[in-house]
Amino acid sequence: MASVARSHNLDQMTQEYIDKHDKCNIVNLGVGLETSYFRIDRKNSYYFEVDLFLH
């Protein structure tokens, strides 16, 4: 339940920011299995997802 609430809140905050700023960059750090890229209407923004990969 906490994961769903976190995703919902972050998606809402990100979407509000994109709506306020015509062109912007969104950087999501520590992505892991995050799927917010597909849930958010990115309009004219650039969306970057970064995660640490060790092998």
Side-chain angles (χ1 to χ4, degrees):
M1 188 62 128
S3 178
V4 173
R6 177 186 170 277
S7 293
H8 174 74
N9 289 333
L10 285 175
D11 288 355
Q12 185 177 6
M13 288 188 292
T14 304
Q15 191 63 56
E16 288 173 4
Y17 185 84
I18 291 172
D19 291 341
K20 272 187 186 178
H21 302 89
D22 187 34
K23 293 184 181 182
C24 62
N25 295 322
I26 304 297
V27 180
N28 191 1
L29 301 175
V31 178
L33 298 174
E34 182 69 41
T35 59
S36 62
Y37 174 83
F38 302 103
R39 294 190 306 265
I40 295 173
D41 181 17
R42 294 169 304 284
K43 299 179 183 171
N44 292 328
S45 64
Y46 290 102
Y47 199 95
F48 300 95
E49 294 184 328
V50 179
D51 198 15
L52 177 64
F53 177 72
L54 297 174
H55 52 86

